Amino acid sequence: ANTDPAMATSTTPAPTPPRTPGSASKQSYSDRFIPSRRGINLQDSFALLPDSPPKKRETPQEGAKDDNLDTYNMLLRSEFLGAESGGRRRTDESCALLSAKSNLFRYRSVPLAWDEGAAYALSPVGSDAQRILCSPRRTPRKIPTVPYKVLDAPALQDDFYLNLVDWSSLNVLAVGLGSCVYLWSACTSKVTKLCDLGREDSVTSVSWTQRGTHLAVGTSVGEVQIWDAAKCQTTRVMAGHLARVGTLCWSGHTLSSGSRDRLILQRDVRVQEHFTSKLSGHKQEVCGLKWSFDGQQLASGGNDNKLYIWSPHSTSPMLRFNDHSAAVKAISWSPHQNGLLASGGGTADRCIRFWNTQTAAPLNSVDTGSQVCNLCWSKNINELVSTHGYSQNQIVVWRYPSMGKVATLTGHTLRVLYLAMSPDGQARRLFLNKRADTARAIASASGGLLFAAVARHVFLLV
C-alpha cells in the first residue's frame, strides 16, 4: 500500500469554514400546500359571496337567459352543497348563526355520505342534480314589442297633468279627445261618441265607476259631469271647482276630483249637494288621485312635488311625503299588499318611490332616468308597469320588490302620457286582427296583462 504522506493529505476533505451570522444561506426549503376542502362549510362560503349587480334587460327575450343561468347556479350548488341547499342562497341571518358555530378555515376532513349507485352511474352529475335537471322548467314569458290594435286618437291633448284614458269593468275604453269623449268596446270593436262639450269647453279627465255603467267627465271650466254609458245621456252636472278638473277617482258612491285650483272635492253622488267636503293642502295643481282598495285612504299628488294621504273622515292629510323633487302624477296602490303605495315624479325627479302608509315609512326608490307619467300594478303577479316621458319615452315592466326590469320598450318619440288596464288583467277576451301602423307610442303587457298607453294614438298590445 502506498503510504506517501503527500497522497494521504490530498484525499482528505477540507474542513468546512464556520458560518457567520451575516452570511446568506444557499439552501432553501419549500413545499406545495394542498388544502382539504372536505371539512369546509361551503354553504356558508357561498352565502358570504357578494351578490352580482343585476344585468340590464333591454329586450324581453333576455328573461330566458336569466332562467338558464339560475338553473346552472342551482346545479352547481347541488353538486357542491348537496340536497340540503335546495339550490338557494341562505339569508344573512342564517349565515351569521352558522358562522358563529363553525370555523370556515378548518382543514380536518369530515366523512361524506356514500352513494352506492354513484360508482355505476352513467351521468357525470349526482342524483340530486339530476332531479333539478328533470324538474319542469318555467315557460319563458314573451312580452310583444308591437301593438296588435291601433286606435286613431286625433286631438288628444299633449298635457302631462291630464288623465284622459280609463278602462271600465265592462271592457269599454273611454278616451277624451278635445271636447268629445269616445267609447271603444273591446268585445265588439265598436266606437261610440258619448258626448260633445262644445267649442267653449274641453275634456280634461275621465273615470269609470266600479260597475262600469257610468262615466265621470272632468272639464276645463271646472265642472264634473256624470254620464250614462248605455244611454249616452248625462245624469248630473256638479260644480265646485274654479279651474280645470285634471283628475278623478271613484270609491263606491264617493267621487273625488282634483283641480288646478289646488282643491280636492269629495262628492257623494247620492246626495243633492255638489260636494260633501273640501280637502285643502296642495299649493299647486292636483294632478293625481287614487283611492286604496279598501277605501280607507286617498293618495293625492300635485305639481307642488307633494304626496298626501287622506282619511275619508278628515279634511287634513294624515301623512305628508316630501321626497319627490317634481310633480307627482303617477300614483298606484298595490293589490297584493295592504298599505303599499308607489308614486312617480316628473322630469326633475324621475324616481319611482314606494311607501308603507301603515307605518308612514319610505321603503325604496328607483331612478328611472325619465319623467314618470303613469304607474300601474299587475293584478295577477307582483309586478309594476311604468310609462315615461322626457327623455327616453320608454315603457318598463318592473319586478317587485327587487325592481329588476322584466322588459323595456323603447323607440318612442312622444311621451307615453296615459295608461289604462283591462278589467281582468288579461287579454284573452280580445280577439282583434293585427295591423301595421307607424305609431309613436305603444302599450305594455305584463304577465298577460293588457295595457293601453296613449300619445296621439291608442295602442293595444297582448
Side-chain angles (χ1 to χ4, degrees), residues 417-456:
L417 290 175
Y418 312 111
L419 176 69
M421 185 172 62
S422 61
D424 59 352
Q426 299 180 3
R428 301 173 187 168
R429 301 180 183 178
L430 305 183
F431 301 95
L432 301 177
N433 296 328
K434 295 183 180 180
R435 73 183 182 95
D437 194 291
T438 56
R440 297 188 178 182
I442 65 175
S444 172
S446 170
L449 301 183
L450 178 64
F451 295 86
V454 181
R456 292 190 183 178

Side-chain angles (χ1 to χ4, degrees), residues 285-307:
E285 180 176 6
V286 180
C287 51
L289 285 176
K290 277 294 170 60
W291 278 98
S292 60
F293 289 93
D294 57 4
Q296 297 302 312
Q297 291 180 331
L298 173 66
S300 67
N303 197 30
D304 56 357
N305 311 341
K306 301 296 189 296
L307 175 65

Side-chain angles (χ1 to χ4, degrees), residues 181-214:
V181 176
Y182 290 89
L183 306 181
W184 176 77
S185 174
C187 300
T188 63
S189 297
K190 181 181 178 181
V191 177
T192 304
K193 183 178 180 180
L194 178 65
C195 65
D196 190 345
L197 304 181
R199 296 183 178 180
E200 303 299 328
D201 203 354
S202 62
V203 179
T204 54
S205 58
V206 294
S207 180
W208 287 100
T209 60
Q210 276 83 354
R211 294 184 178 181
T213 57
H214 291 75

Side-chain angles (χ1 to χ4, degrees), residues 135-407:
S135 60
R137 297 182 59 185
R138 182 180 58 184
T139 304
R141 192 178 74 206
K142 294 183 179 180
I143 299 180
T145 58
V146 294
Y148 83 102
K149 183 69 175 180
V150 180
L151 307 178
D152 192 19
L156 183 67
Q157 299 188 57
D158 185 12
D159 196 326
F160 173 79
Y161 302 98
L162 304 185
N163 295 270
L164 298 176
V165 174
D166 197 20
W167 208 316
S168 75
S169 58
L170 299 181
N171 218 3
V172 177
L173 185 69
V175 183
L177 301 176
S179 61
C180 302
V181 176
Y182 290 89
L183 306 181
W184 176 77
S185 174
C187 300
T188 63
S189 297
K190 181 181 178 181
V191 177
T192 304
K193 183 178 180 180
L194 178 65
C195 65
D196 190 345
L197 304 181
R199 296 183 178 180
E200 303 299 328
D201 203 354
S202 62
V203 179
T204 54
S205 58
V206 294
S207 180
W208 287 100
T209 60
Q210 276 83 354
R211 294 184 178 181
T213 57
H214 291 75
L215 180 71
V217 178
T219 69
S220 60
V221 297
E223 294 182 346
V224 176
Q225 303 179 7
I226 309 297
W227 285 81
D228 188 328
K231 300 179 181 179
C232 292
Q233 295 179 356
T234 178
T235 60
R236 188 171 183 182
V237 177
M238 295 176 288
H241 287 295
L242 302 178
R244 70 179 186 183
V245 181
T247 177
L248 296 166
C249 188
W250 288 90
S251 177
H253 297 284
T254 301
L255 174 62
S256 302
S257 61
S259 172
R260 182 179 275 180
D261 62 7
R262 304 172 294 180
L263 297 178
I264 301 174
L265 299 183
Q266 303 282 53
R267 310 171 187 270
D268 191 336
V269 296
R270 299 170 297 180
V271 301
Q272 185 178 1
E273 290 77 15
H274 287 190
F275 60 91
T276 57
S277 62
K278 182 184 300 184
L279 308 181
S280 177
H282 288 282
K283 303 302 181 183
Q284 294 189 35
E285 180 176 6
V286 180
C287 51
L289 285 176
K290 277 294 170 60
W291 278 98
S292 60
F293 289 93
D294 57 4
Q296 297 302 312
Q297 291 180 331
L298 173 66
S300 67
N303 197 30
D304 56 357
N305 311 341
K306 301 296 189 296
L307 175 65
Y308 292 157
I309 308 298
W310 309 80
S311 169
H313 311 294
S314 175
T315 57
S316 298
M318 55 186 298
L319 294 176
R320 293 179 173 89
F321 298 116
N322 305 319
D323 293 5
H324 284 289
S325 57
V328 183
K329 174 195 174 185
I331 302 173
S332 183
W333 293 91
S334 171
H336 311 287
Q337 181 178 344
N338 188 28
L340 176 58
L341 177 66
S343 61
T347 306
D349 184 76
R350 308 176 305 178
C351 291
I352 299 177
R353 301 181 184 274
F354 298 90
W355 319 87
N356 187 341
T357 60
Q358 304 294 330
T359 60
L363 300 178
N364 191 14
S365 176
V366 177
D367 190 348
T368 65
S370 296
Q371 176 189 42
V372 184
C373 299
N374 298 278
L375 289 173
C376 189
W377 287 89
S378 165
K379 296 181 180 179
N380 302 332
I381 50 181
N382 203 10
E383 292 182 353
L384 185 73
V385 172
S386 62
T387 68
H388 301 269
Y390 304 121
S391 59
Q392 301 180 25
N393 305 325
Q394 77 271 34
I395 300 174
V396 184
V397 183
W398 308 85
R399 180 181 291 109
Y400 187 83
S402 64
M403 292 308 291
K405 292 183 179 180
V406 180

